[in-house]
Amino acid sequence: MKNWFMLALVGQDQVGIVANITNTLYRGGCNLGETSMLRLGESFTMMMMVNTQLDENTLISMIKPTADVLNLHLHIDQIIGALHPHPEPDVKIVVHGADRAGIVAQVTGKLAQAGLNILDLETGVGGSSEKPFYFMQIEGCATQGMNALQRALEELKENLQGNIEINLSPLETFDL
Amino acid sequence: MMLEILTYPDPRLKQVSTSVEYFDNDLSNFIKDLEETMHAGPGGVGIAAPQVGRFQRIVIVDVSKHKKVTKHHGQLVLINPEITDWEGFEIAREGCMSVPDYTGNVIRATHLKLTAQNEKAEIKQFEMEGYEARAVQHELDHLDGLLFLDRLVSRRHDLFQRKTYQKKK
């Protein structure tokens, strides 16, 4: 299996997307590495690391008919693939408050300057449509240490004048 | 003597271990080797006999070298251990010598009461908390053929399963 590809598929959610796509890949001799498959809003989104002997065009022609039947948009990139590099997050940041535009940009901009490498970020909007609240959870690596992130968040809280809750906590992995 | 660590997906890690009956020289020699193997590991804080292919209910735990741990019992050799009571729960990320290159979030009790025999077959009782309690639960799982992989909670959500209510008839 010499080639690694990143397959991205997005479309209206329905039963059987994962089963059909992965079956096509399996029958075509592909092997999956890491994947993320989840529903966002009404859409089902899939990103998959695929290992195969096939070249890009052959892989596209193999998967396209299945994607078309399921009305999924398909995007494929050849990548430098490798399994097993799993960086462990050492910090978690939870942000919530009344929903408004710009929260992710402001928070992550400040944290990036202070050395945060984001490994996993998830956001959502809850509450009623009149009074929506926003929620974000980030896991990442504090490449310049926790204190740098703490200082960045304190500055951010001052600028935002208490309209948003931001909590930073260390994450520890227990090697047992 | 350093012992070889079994790594997942070795099916032997799913085997349930049997109780120790004979507290003899063979047992104390094995415990020395198990201790040496534990200290050579990346965490070096815990090991269970089945991880080295001996399917007996023996674990060693020692969290005393961890910088943030204040309450602990030092090195504990726990033979035929049983959890008699527990309280509280907490999610934290665990790794395991038998599951290299993968870590995951697991819920464990924060406080434990435990009985176990020592190398002289004496029955001892312990109360423990925090990291030491987590380490003991992780190692005791090995005795029942369970890995932290069997207890993973969602990678993306710190959520507990919603209670299922019985439907009214």
Side-chain angles (χ1 to χ4, degrees):
Chain A
M1 299 273 188
K2 57 180 177 158
N3 296 325
W4 278 101
F5 294 94
M6 188 64 80
L7 257 68
L9 291 140
V10 181
Q12 174 77 29
D13 190 22
Q14 58 176 298
V15 174
I17 293 178
V18 173
N20 281 295
I21 293 292
T22 55
N23 187 47
T24 303
L25 291 169
Y26 169 61
R27 288 157 66 102
C30 300
N31 193 21
L32 296 180
E34 295 175 32
T35 72
S36 167
M37 312 192 202
L38 73 158
R39 185 176 153 128
L40 296 173
E42 297 284 315
S43 298
F44 195 77
T45 66
M46 311 166 79
M47 291 183 77
M48 296 180 279
M49 286 171 66
V50 175
N51 194 205
T52 176
Q53 298 287 5
L54 306 176
D55 61 31
E56 187 165 335
N57 287 334
T58 318
L59 181 63
I60 291 172
S61 57
M62 186 184 82
I63 197 79
K64 187 92 172 48
T66 311
D68 285 345
V69 168
L70 296 163
N71 279 321
L72 300 172
H73 294 285
L74 170 67
H75 182 88
I76 296 184
D77 280 317
Q78 185 150 17
I79 55 168
I80 300 167
L83 292 177
H84 309 296
H86 288 133
E88 280 168 14
D90 56 15
V91 61
K92 176 165 114 174
I93 298 125
V94 175
V95 178
H96 59 87
D99 188 30
R100 62 166 176 76
I103 299 174
V104 179
Q106 283 175 319
V107 173
T108 58
K110 198 79 185 169
L111 290 170
Q113 282 171 13
L116 180 71
N117 183 28
I118 294 173
L119 300 176
D120 195 308
L121 184 151
E122 183 188 9
T123 75
V125 180
S128 63
S129 46
E130 299 80 42
K131 287 186 176 176
F133 70 84
Y134 186 81
F135 173 88
M136 170 162 69
Q137 184 169 320
I138 304 172
E139 288 187 357
C141 293
T143 64
Q144 294 168 24
M146 287 287 283
N147 289 342
L149 293 179
Q150 192 70 55
R151 279 195 300 275
L153 289 181
E154 269 153 30
E155 279 177 36
L156 193 62
K157 277 184 197 168
E158 268 177 40
N159 295 344
L160 296 171
Q161 295 172 334
N163 290 324
I164 197 159
E165 286 293 322
I166 307 176
N167 292 304
L168 171 121
S169 50
L171 282 179
E172 192 175 5
T173 299
F174 295 96
D175 283 314
L176 296 164
Chain B
M1 184 181 69
M2 277 278 294
L3 305 169
E4 194 193 336
I5 299 274
L6 304 183
T7 55
Y8 194 68
D10 191 315
R12 288 174 290 176
L13 288 165
K14 305 305 293 173
Q15 195 168 324
V16 177
S17 293
T18 56
S19 299
V20 173
E21 288 178 41
Y22 304 106
F23 292 76
D24 50 15
N25 276 340
D26 176 55
L27 180 72
S28 48
N29 289 335
F30 170 70
I31 286 168
K32 279 194 198 89
D33 292 344
L34 192 63
E35 190 185 324
E36 189 184 331
T37 309
M38 177 183 91
H39 286 301
V45 300
I47 196 166
Q51 287 183 280
V52 297
R54 181 155 164 154
F55 301 96
Q56 284 190 298
R57 303 188 80 81
I58 306 163
V59 309
I60 306 178
V61 168
D62 183 359
V63 300
S64 63
K65 288 177 190 72
H66 195 276
K67 54 187 183 299
K68 286 182 196 159
V69 177
T70 48
K71 279 189 180 175
H72 59 79
H73 294 83
Q75 179 166 300
L76 286 175
V77 176
L78 304 170
I79 301 171
N80 301 329
E82 295 288 341
I83 293 169
T84 55
D85 200 8
W86 64 270
E87 219 181 82
F89 50 80
E90 198 170 55
I91 295 180
R93 186 177 295 268
E94 294 183 9
C96 177
M97 281 193 281
S98 293
V99 188
D101 184 50
Y102 199 81
T103 59
N105 285 332
V106 181
I107 301 174
R108 302 285 188 190
T110 54
H111 294 76
L112 283 188
K113 285 183 186 167
L114 185 81
T115 63
Q117 285 170 281
N118 63 15
E119 290 169 81
K120 296 172 196 158
E122 296 162 335
I123 295 173
K124 301 280 178 186
Q125 295 188 327
F126 303 95
E127 283 190 35
M128 51 183 67
E129 60 182 70
Y131 188 17
E132 189 175 47
R134 175 169 291 271
V136 162
Q137 289 165 84
H138 176 110
E139 301 309 338
L140 260 61
D141 267 354
H142 282 297
L143 306 181
D144 294 321
L146 290 172
L147 300 169
F148 78 84
L149 299 174
D150 296 302
R151 296 196 186 273
L152 286 181
V153 293
S154 171
R155 198 165 73 91
R156 292 181 69 84
H157 305 273
D158 286 355
L159 297 178
F160 296 96
Q161 193 168 351
R162 187 177 285 187
K163 202 168 173 179
T164 312
Y165 295 98
Q166 207 163 13
K167 277 183 190 157
K168 278 181 190 165
K169 283 181 184 164

